[in-house]
Amino acid sequence: MHESDRESSPTTSAKILVADDDFFNRKYYREVLKREGYVVDEVSSGEEAIDSIAKNDYELILSDLQMYKIGGLDVLRAAKERNPNTQVVIMTGYGSIPTAVKSIQQGAFDYLPKPVTRDMLLMHVRKAIEQRELQLRLQEQQQRLELYKKMIERDLKLAEKVQASLVPKNFENENIAVAIQYHPTLGIGGDFCSIYNGSRDHVHLNMVDVTGHGIAAALIVNRVSNELNNILKTNPKPQNILSSMNTFFYDTFGNMGLFLTMMSLHLDFAKRILTYAGGAHPAALFFCAREKSLSLLASKNTIIGFDKSPQNKFSQDKKKFEPGDKIVVYTDGLLEAEDKEKHEFGIHGLLASANAHITEPVVQASEHIIQDVCDFRDDFHRDDIMIMIVEIL
C-alpha cells in the first residue's frame, strides 16, 4: 500500500456493491477494495444487483454499464430509488463513453473507462464516498435549518400575540375617545402606547418608540411597558414620567447603545388642562375644534436613555382644552415613509392628511391618515408606524 493511500483510507468501513458480469474484473475490484478496509459485496448480473440493492444499504455501487438483460443504467435507477444518497460509479469500455455520460446526467457520481487501474478505482471510490458524506451533512444542516425556521416562525407568532396584547384597544368613556393604529415592520416592533386611567378626572397617555425593529425591539417594549405601569401608579407629571423612564432605561440598557423617544400626555378633565412632555419624539398635533386649526405640541427634552440626566432637566408644557378638541400622537415611522423618489411623507404630508380627516370620528380619522401614508409610500416598509388620535368629549 502506498503511504498516500494509507493516509486517505476511510476511518469507517463503507459498504460497496460491485456488479460486473466479467469474473476477473469483479474479483480484481473486490480484492483492491477489501485491502483498503471496505466491506464489499459482488454480483455477476444486473438482476442480482437490483435484488441486492433492495435488501441492503450501500454507500457506493460500482456497476458495469453493459451487462446481459439488465445493465448499469437500470442498476443506477434502482439504487437512486432505494436511496438517493447512494453513490453510483459506472464502469464502461471506450465505445460506450456517450452512454456513460448519460448515466451522470441521470444521477451517477462518475464513470470509469476500462481498463480500470487500481489508483483510478480507489480515487473514484474515495471521492464518491466523500460526496455522499457531504450530501448527508448538507441534508442534516438543511433539516436543522428547517427546524430552526419553524421554531422562529412559532416564536414570532407568539411574540406578535404578546405585543398585540400590549397595544391598547380603541377606547371610549365619558371624557375621551381614543383610536390606535399600529403597523410594525416585521409583525412585531419597537412602538408602544398606553392609556392609564388614574381616576375619573384624569388620564395618562404615553407613546414610546424604541430604537430597532423586530424581536429585539419587541422584547425591550415589553420591559418598558412593565416599568411604565409601575411609574404611572403614583400619578406623576409628564416630565417626571420622562425622568423616571430615562433613569430606568439608562440603568438597564445604557451600555448597549439603545435609546427611545417618548411623548407623555396628562389630561385633567376637572381643570381642562393638557400637560405634555416629549423626549426627542415627533411633535404631537393639537386640533382646536373652536378655531378649526392644528398646532404642534413640541418635544423639548433629550432622547430617553442617552445619559443619566437629573430630574430638573426635564420640562413640560400646558395647554387648555375644550370638548371637541383632538390630539394626534404618532411615531417617526409615519413621517419617514418614502415614495419611489425617496421623498418623505414628512410633517407637511401629515398636516395635509390631518387637515383632511381630523373632523372625522377618531377611528375613521386614524384609518384614513394611515391609508394616506400607505398610498404615498413605495412597497418597502422601512419602520414601524403607530398613531393615536384622542378626542375630548
Side-chain angles (χ1 to χ4, degrees):
M1 179 187 294
H2 298 298
E3 186 65 23
S4 59
D5 290 341
R6 184 180 293 108
E7 291 174 356
S8 59
S9 294
T11 56
T12 58
S13 299
K15 192 171 184 179
I16 300 174
L17 175 67
V18 174
D20 197 317
D21 54 6
D22 185 296
F23 175 82
F24 295 102
N25 283 341
R26 194 168 67 248
K27 295 301 180 183
Y28 170 69
Y29 303 145
R30 181 175 181 273
E31 289 304 314
V32 170
L33 294 172
K34 286 188 69 176
R35 289 181 183 182
E36 295 296 317
Y38 297 107
V39 176
V40 183
D41 290 342
E42 58 173 295
V43 293
S44 60
S45 68
E47 295 94 330
E48 290 179 313
I50 291 174
D51 183 63
S52 188
I53 289 169
K55 297 175 181 177
N56 298 278
D57 291 317
Y58 293 106
E59 281 86 350
L60 173 64
I61 295 172
L62 298 170
S63 177
D64 187 19
L65 178 64
Q66 302 290 347
M67 291 185 289
Y68 182 67
K69 289 187 178 180
I70 295 179
L73 293 182
D74 297 309
V75 172
L76 168 64
R77 282 190 288 270
K80 291 298 181 179
E81 287 175 4
R82 176 78 163 84
N83 185 346
N85 293 311
T86 298
Q87 299 301 306
V88 179
V89 174
I90 298 294
M91 296 173 291
T92 181
Y94 178 78
S96 302
I97 295 297
T99 306
V101 172
K102 183 180 177 181
S103 73
I104 295 177
Q105 296 172 342
Q106 295 183 8
F109 171 73
D110 205 349
Y111 70 91
L112 268 172
K114 293 182 178 181
V116 179
T117 66
R118 173 186 176 279
D119 289 343
M120 287 296 293
L121 175 63
L122 292 178
M123 182 184 72
H124 278 70
V125 167
R126 282 194 291 269
K127 287 184 176 180
I129 292 174
E130 287 171 0
Q131 176 67 21
R132 180 181 183 276
E133 291 173 351
L134 177 60
Q135 285 182 195
L136 291 173
R137 286 197 296 269
L138 289 174
Q139 289 172 11
E140 182 180 0
Q141 291 172 0
Q142 184 63 37
Q143 290 171 355
R144 289 180 180 177
L145 287 174
E146 289 296 327
L147 178 61
Y148 294 152
K149 179 183 176 184
K150 290 179 181 179
M151 291 172 60
I152 291 171
E153 288 174 348
R154 181 193 63 196
D155 290 348
L156 278 173
K157 288 180 180 179
L158 177 59
E160 287 180 28
K161 290 184 179 180
V162 171
Q163 189 170 40
S165 70
L166 296 176
V167 179
K169 306 297 182 184
N170 293 339
F171 172 83
E172 183 172 341
N173 63 14
E174 67 271 23
N175 294 314
I176 57 171
V178 182
I180 298 165
Q181 291 278 326
Y182 181 39
H183 298 267
T185 304
L186 302 172
I188 54 176
D191 292 359
F192 166 72
C193 67
S194 73
I195 305 169
Y196 187 84
N197 282 293
S199 70
R200 285 188 59 185
D201 292 335
H202 69 88
V203 65
H204 286 278
L205 304 166
N206 290 276
M207 184 169 288
V208 170
D209 185 356
V210 175
T211 53
H213 311 289
I215 295 176
L219 288 171
I220 297 172
V221 161
N222 187 64
R223 184 68 182 89
V224 167
S225 171
N226 291 333
E227 186 63 25
L228 181 59
N229 286 335
N230 290 330
I231 294 171
L232 291 171
K233 290 176 182 178
T234 61
N235 191 28
K237 298 176 181 179
Q239 67 186 75
N240 295 336
I241 293 174
L242 263 62
S243 175
S244 297
M245 187 59 68
N246 182 73
T247 299
F248 153 74
F249 205 81
Y250 181 81
D251 289 345
T252 308
F253 304 108
N255 63 340
M256 300 177 66
L258 298 173
F259 314 104
L260 61 83
T261 69
M262 184 172 184
M263 179 62 76
S264 182
L265 311 169
H266 176 260
L267 294 170
D268 186 326
F269 300 109
K271 297 179 180 179
R272 293 190 176 184
I273 292 178
L274 163 66
T275 307
Y276 62 95
H281 200 85
L285 306 183
F286 183 86
F287 174 71
C288 177
R290 179 170 50 83
E291 297 178 1
K292 299 189 183 304
S293 63
L294 284 167
S295 59
L296 299 180
L297 305 178
S299 184
K300 298 180 179 179
N301 298 289
T302 186
I303 194 166
I304 305 300
F306 180 74
D307 59 25
K308 205 164 185 177
S309 301
Q311 182 171 322
N312 59 14
K313 274 201 170 185
F314 290 88
S315 63
Q316 62 186 25
D317 293 289
K318 295 184 178 182
K319 190 176 185 68
K320 293 284 289 184
F321 62 78
E322 298 175 357
D325 291 348
K326 294 180 181 178
I327 306 165
V328 182
V329 191
Y330 52 92
T331 55
D332 61 3
L334 187 148
L335 301 181
E336 295 170 358
E338 293 181 349
D339 64 12
K340 293 181 180 179
E341 284 71 43
K342 303 300 181 184
H343 300 134
E344 290 189 346
F345 190 72
I347 189 64
H348 297 296
L350 175 58
L351 288 171
S353 180
N355 274 311
H357 304 297
I358 197 65
T359 57
E360 300 169 355
V362 291
V363 173
Q364 288 91 324
S366 64
E367 291 173 348
H368 290 156
I369 291 174
I370 291 296
Q371 187 60 53
D372 287 347
V373 175
C374 293
D375 291 343
F376 172 85
R377 74 182 180 194
D378 59 18
D379 294 334
F380 183 63
H381 197 167
R382 290 172 178 78
D383 198 1
D384 306 327
I385 294 177
M386 176 173 279
I387 186 170
M388 174 168 59
I389 302 182
V390 183
E391 180 177 8
I392 314 299
L393 301 179

